[in-house]
Amino acid sequence: MLFWILVAALTAAVAAILLYPLLRGAKAVDDMRAGEAAVYRDQLRELDRDRAGGLISADEADYARAEIGRRLITVSAAPVTDRKLSKHHRLSEAFVLLMLPIVGLCLYSLVGRPDLPSQPLEARLENPGNDMAILVAKAERHLAQNPDDGKGWDVLAPIYFNTMRVADAENAYRNAIRMLGPSPARLDGLAETLMATSNGVVTEDARKVLEQSLQLQPDNPKASFYIALGMEQAGRSAEAKVAFEALAKQSPADAPWMPLVAEHIAKNGGALPSGAANAPGNPTQADVAAAENMNAGDQQQMIQGMVESLDAKLTEDPNNLEGWLRLVRSYVVLKDKDRAVGALKRGLAAFPASSEQGKQLLALARELDIATEGMTE
């Protein structure tokens, strides 16, 4: 019953909003007509005063009085057009009052579920459907009652991480590892969570977790990349170059992470692996060789030109996630934070924040300490 009362109230409110301009329009016409009539009456009184004062002749006064009287009669009489307009308004009012609820009820009967009873939270937890918030609440409730369910923590940990509940994600990953044992996926997830907590820095704790992941899976590209990144962040460029080159050698030439690996190899003074030099926006072998003989200013100018070239290519073809990742990172390296933010916004226009690609862009922004307020909607 409460539902139907709310429907009736909303329908009445919408009908009133739609009828208001029609009713107000008719009142405005009447007010305007009454104002014009008052003006003409004032003119007639003014004419009598001018005649009595001898300012105009009797013939002029008669002529002016006839003209003003004609206008006053025209304004005071309701013309046929106004009656037609009033009839049109009545038809519009009838349409709003009758068709609005009829059309609304017909649509509700087609797409709604009038037979579905209201469900309290308890019932929704039992049958959450595709509601992610309810699914998470249900899992949390289950784990509160069964804290030793390792599979529950294993399922919940990446959900927490993707929704940036990093403290909860770290707790969930550690519980899953403690109860189910370490695995490359769990250890990599824990390491990424620790890095998210430290704004993208590969901390000592994260490095130990990644090394444990590599012991379980020596060809794990994610762990290898982050360990090399940690060396780079620590200023150990030579070691980082060797680590990135090793990752490039063990990776397929068309691996999605190869452009980023090639960028870090070049950044640390290494030669690009075979095949990576042809990736859009990456420096070629000739570029790297030429840069070795340049002074710092010329190298900076060369890098700026390559970044601008990549920017132009992405403007023409924005459907290139790896290109946007490289462009944002490149502007940060060039210490051009404003253009990095602009590139991030353009990348999110091509890949919305709710998509997997958009989440990668936002994760990179957090790693590079770029503010993302207003970009996640």
Side-chain angles (χ1 to χ4, degrees):
M1 179 58 69
L2 178 61
F3 172 77
W4 293 112
I5 293 174
L6 290 174
V7 169
L10 289 173
T11 303
V14 173
I17 292 172
L18 294 177
L19 287 174
Y20 178 72
L22 300 178
L23 299 175
R24 185 174 178 275
K27 185 177 183 301
V29 171
D30 292 339
D31 291 344
M32 182 180 66
R33 203 177 283 129
E36 291 181 0
V39 170
Y40 292 140
R41 292 190 185 96
D42 288 341
Q43 289 179 350
L44 287 174
R45 287 191 290 270
E46 184 68 22
L47 185 64
D48 290 337
R49 286 193 295 269
D50 291 345
R51 177 69 184 87
L55 299 176
I56 58 175
S57 65
D59 290 339
E60 291 173 334
D62 291 339
Y63 176 79
R65 184 177 292 105
E67 178 62 22
I68 295 172
R70 182 186 65 78
R71 295 179 182 178
L72 179 60
I73 293 172
T74 301
V75 170
S76 300
V80 176
T81 55
D82 283 350
R83 290 197 295 270
K84 289 182 179 180
L85 182 61
S86 177
K87 182 178 179 182
H88 174 70
H89 281 179
R90 286 196 295 271
L91 290 176
S92 300
E93 293 166 8
F95 175 82
V96 171
L97 292 173
L98 295 177
M99 296 304 294
L100 181 64
I102 291 174
V103 171
L105 289 173
C106 289
L107 288 175
Y108 179 70
S109 64
L110 290 175
V111 301
R113 290 287 305 276
D115 58 320
L116 187 65
S118 60
Q119 292 183 316
L121 179 60
E122 184 74 24
R124 283 181 286 150
L125 287 174
E126 293 297 327
N127 185 24
N130 294 324
D131 191 328
M132 182 57 67
I134 296 297
L135 288 170
V136 172
K138 184 177 181 180
E140 290 175 335
R141 179 177 176 179
H142 169 76
L143 288 171
Q145 298 172 352
N146 303 277
D148 294 330
D149 183 2
K151 291 183 178 180
W153 291 113
D154 200 30
V155 170
L156 206 53
I159 297 176
Y160 280 148
F161 180 77
N162 290 332
T163 55
M164 293 313 298
R165 294 173 58 179
V166 290
D168 293 329
E170 180 182 351
N171 180 60
Y173 274 120
R174 291 192 184 280
N175 284 334
I177 292 170
R178 176 172 55 85
M179 297 171 191
L180 301 178
S183 71
R186 297 183 191 113
L187 292 169
D188 291 349
L190 176 58
E192 287 182 311
T193 302
L194 294 173
M195 286 185 286
T197 304
S198 60
N199 295 319
V201 175
V202 183
T203 62
E204 183 66 18
D205 288 341
R207 184 186 62 79
K208 291 179 180 179
V209 173
L210 292 166
E211 288 177 348
Q212 186 180 359
S213 177
L214 276 180
Q215 290 176 357
L216 297 176
Q217 183 184 349
D219 60 346
N220 183 346
K222 181 179 291 187
S224 299
F225 176 84
Y226 285 132
I227 288 177
L229 180 63
M231 296 174 182
E232 178 183 297
Q233 292 173 345
R236 296 151 53 191
S237 298
E239 296 177 56
K241 177 179 74 76
V242 172
F244 280 121
E245 288 175 341
L247 174 58
K249 289 178 181 178
Q250 73 179 29
S251 301
D254 58 349
W257 57 85
M258 279 299 294
L260 187 58
V261 172
E263 177 186 331
H264 282 279
I265 291 174
K267 181 179 177 181
N268 289 281
L272 296 179
S274 176
N278 297 324
N282 281 337
T284 64
Q285 295 281 5
D287 293 332
V288 175
E292 293 177 353
N293 299 320
M294 293 180 179
N295 58 39
D298 291 339
Q299 288 181 352
Q300 186 76 2
Q301 186 176 359
M302 173 184 171
I303 294 172
Q304 182 72 39
M306 291 192 303
V307 172
E308 291 177 355
S309 175
L310 175 59
D311 196 326
K313 290 178 181 178
L314 289 173
T315 301
E316 297 175 359
D317 181 18
N319 192 27
N320 182 352
L321 174 62
E322 295 300 331
W324 288 115
L325 292 171
R326 291 198 301 277
L327 185 63
V328 173
R329 189 182 293 276
S330 298
Y331 279 134
V332 171
V333 171
L334 292 173
K335 302 186 185 305
D336 193 341
K337 206 66 172 285
D338 291 338
R339 297 185 74 175
V341 172
L344 177 63
K345 290 181 178 178
R346 289 159 55 202
L348 290 173
F351 301 101
S354 58
S355 66
E356 289 301 321
Q357 296 91 335
K359 291 177 181 177
Q360 292 184 48
L361 283 166
L362 291 174
L364 175 64
R366 287 188 289 269
E367 175 188 332
L368 300 175
D369 196 25
I370 297 175
T372 59
E373 288 79 5
M375 301 184 192
T376 58
E377 299 179 356

